[in-house]
Amino acid sequence: MTQGSLFTHRAFMRFWIGQMASSFAFQMLLVGLGWQIYNLTDSALSLGFVGLARYLPQLVLTLYAGHVADNHNRLHIMIVTRSLMTLTIAVLAVTSVLGSISPAIIYGCCIALGTARAFEMPATQAMVPNIVSADLLAPALTWTASGREATTIIGPALGGIIYILGAGALYGTSTVCCLISTLILAKLHYRHQAREKRPVTLDSLLGGLRFTWKNPVIFGSISLDMMAVLLGSVTALLPIVARDILETGPWGLGLLRSAPAVGAVAMSVYLAWRPVEHSVGRKMFVAVAVFGVMTIIFGVSETLWLSILALLIMGAADMVSVVIRSTLVQLETPDDMRGRVSAVNSIFISTSNQLGEFESGVLAAWLGAVPAIIVGGVGTLGIVALWAWWFPDLVKRDRLDMRPGPERD
């Protein structure tokens, strides 16, 4: 089966469209949450708490969620979690329309969303290798990532426009998109590989952590991504940058949130045409370094066009890292471990994203938004240098589908 046949693969296409609808809902939702909480509180710290509220449930529950993903039907898990997300966003919509929305309600809904995503992410990541054959895995992961990023372009931009009609309109649109995703996945043809269910034990819960720790390629790649995004992420501070530095409105915030995804989609199209075949380790480190440099440029920018350009390049660099890391994790992991290893990967991702938002909010409240962004970019470059020293096997990795050996050194 060739890469071209990927788009005649009915199960994958249904999965892909369902993922896009969910991502579209989530990206619009984030624009509303950030703008609404900042206008309600006028506090940079509150932006950090939004990220923290989504992160804590994932930190606590994800290892157990990985065990669940390896012992139960992953499609059923996805349907249940998407249903919970739909109901949660509906609460935001109704309370906004009624005028009863408050920071406490927003934080509570963020906790519910974090709980749902704690179970959704390991199941989702572990499903792809069971939907497509091994030779289609890398292009499937590339197009899954690019589809997600494509919705990240449209979602924030459209979300910023819809927000002009009110937060209720934005949350209502997001609710409909999440409901559509749930209904599409409910009709997905997915054959669950039944296996003997393991009891919930400490040994089972920690199995993914042990496997990840013992594999320097997996651990090095996901920890590099985690630390780089943890320090260099500017997502939580975009409402401050848009309103106070660039002096724009919700539409400008939508453009800023969309810009990294535009770069990511452009890079994903290029990678689909010219896949990364050699020196994958070095290319991943270079991509993360570019991410750090662009973060610094974004921090010093005072014009909208330069800020958007920096975010475009950040998104393109991040896509290179995402494709390489995601493919390495799946190819290096046996199927009966994929749920738990994907859970570990999810913890690293949520740590970098949600905890990164909290770290950005705290640092911005302490130093100011611009210094916080610049410090994050410099820290990212330091992480690249340190990880290159700590994980030489990852730097030497030549191809996605094989480990480096002495004969190729």
Side-chain angles (χ1 to χ4, degrees):
M1 187 178 292
T2 64
Q3 180 173 335
S5 66
L6 182 65
F7 295 96
T8 63
H9 197 298
R10 296 182 63 182
F12 173 75
M13 290 306 300
R14 184 175 291 277
F15 173 84
W16 187 69
I17 293 171
Q19 288 299 100
M20 288 186 67
S22 174
S23 180
F24 191 74
F26 193 68
Q27 293 303 323
M28 288 195 298
L29 172 68
L30 292 180
V31 172
L33 289 174
W35 194 261
Q36 190 174 47
I37 196 69
Y38 191 50
N39 282 327
L40 285 173
T41 64
D42 204 35
S43 167
L45 193 59
S46 66
L47 292 169
F49 282 134
V50 167
L52 184 64
R54 298 203 317 272
Y55 168 68
L56 288 179
Q58 295 180 17
L59 178 64
V60 173
L61 296 172
T62 300
L63 285 181
Y64 175 68
H67 172 87
V68 172
D70 278 338
N71 287 274
H72 297 277
N73 191 309
R74 293 162 182 168
L75 179 59
H76 293 169
I77 296 170
M78 289 180 62
I79 293 172
V80 170
T81 54
R82 292 281 166 84
S83 299
L84 175 58
M85 292 171 63
T86 301
L87 291 174
T88 301
I89 302 171
V91 170
L92 290 168
V94 171
T95 54
S96 294
V97 169
L98 296 177
S100 58
I101 192 75
S102 68
I105 291 176
I106 292 176
Y107 296 143
C109 288
C110 285
I111 291 173
L113 288 170
T115 301
R117 286 178 68 82
F119 287 89
E120 178 201 34
M121 291 177 69
T124 302
Q125 293 174 27
M127 271 186 68
V128 179
N130 296 127
I131 296 177
V132 301
S133 56
D135 61 311
L136 290 178
L137 181 58
L141 291 173
T142 299
W143 283 107
T144 299
S146 64
R148 182 177 61 247
E149 295 296 342
T151 62
T152 309
I153 298 171
I154 304 170
L158 185 59
I161 296 173
I162 295 176
Y163 196 93
I164 297 174
L165 303 176
L170 185 147
Y171 293 139
T173 306
S174 183
T175 301
V176 171
C177 290
C178 202
L179 177 61
I180 291 173
S181 173
T182 306
L183 295 176
I184 289 174
L185 290 174
K187 295 183 177 296
L188 175 66
H189 178 68
Y190 170 74
R191 180 173 296 177
H192 171 59
Q193 295 184 357
R195 57 175 61 94
E196 183 180 354
K197 291 182 172 59
R198 303 178 181 89
V200 181
T201 64
L202 185 62
D203 181 70
S204 175
L205 292 178
L206 298 181
L209 277 174
R210 284 196 305 270
F211 182 87
T212 301
W213 176 260
K214 292 178 180 179
N215 189 314
V217 170
I218 293 181
F219 182 70
S221 61
I222 65 177
S223 60
L224 172 65
D225 178 80
M226 179 193 74
M227 292 304 299
V229 177
L230 178 64
L231 295 175
S233 175
V234 299
T235 303
L237 303 183
L238 290 181
I240 300 176
V241 173
R243 196 187 78 173
D244 299 343
I245 298 176
L246 302 178
E247 298 181 349
T248 184
W251 65 271
L253 173 61
L255 290 177
L256 291 173
R257 290 198 68 101
S258 297
V262 174
V265 168
M267 179 56 71
S268 69
V269 172
Y270 175 79
L271 291 176
W273 175 52
R274 295 287 298 273
V276 180
E277 295 181 349
H278 299 286
S279 303
V280 296
R282 289 184 178 89
K283 289 176 181 177
M284 183 170 65
F285 276 91
V286 170
V288 177
V290 171
F291 181 90
V293 171
M294 289 301 108
T295 300
I296 296 172
I297 293 176
F298 178 79
V300 301
S301 171
E302 295 182 353
T303 58
L304 182 60
W305 70 266
L306 181 58
S307 297
I308 290 176
L309 178 61
L311 291 171
L312 282 168
I313 299 175
M314 286 171 65
D318 187 53
M319 176 56 70
V320 175
S321 174
V322 166
V323 169
I324 294 174
R325 170 177 52 83
S326 299
T327 308
L328 285 174
V329 169
Q330 295 296 345
L331 291 176
E332 294 274 325
T333 307
D335 184 65
D336 64 343
M337 289 288 297
R338 282 198 178 112
R340 283 167 289 173
V341 172
S342 294
V344 175
N345 190 29
S346 297
I347 290 177
F348 279 66
I349 292 172
S350 60
T351 296
S352 62
N353 292 336
Q354 279 76 62
L355 191 58
E357 290 182 19
F358 179 67
E359 177 269 338
S360 297
V362 172
L363 199 59
W366 180 33
L367 300 177
V370 171
I373 293 171
I374 295 174
V375 167
V378 173
T380 298
L381 295 178
I383 290 298
V384 170
L386 190 59
W387 256 240
W389 179 47
W390 280 351
F391 297 96
D393 286 346
L394 181 57
V395 178
K396 296 176 184 177
R397 181 76 177 226
D398 182 41
R399 298 178 59 86
L400 291 169
D401 57 352
M402 66 178 63
R403 299 176 177 86
E407 69 280 7
R408 293 188 289 117
D409 287 346

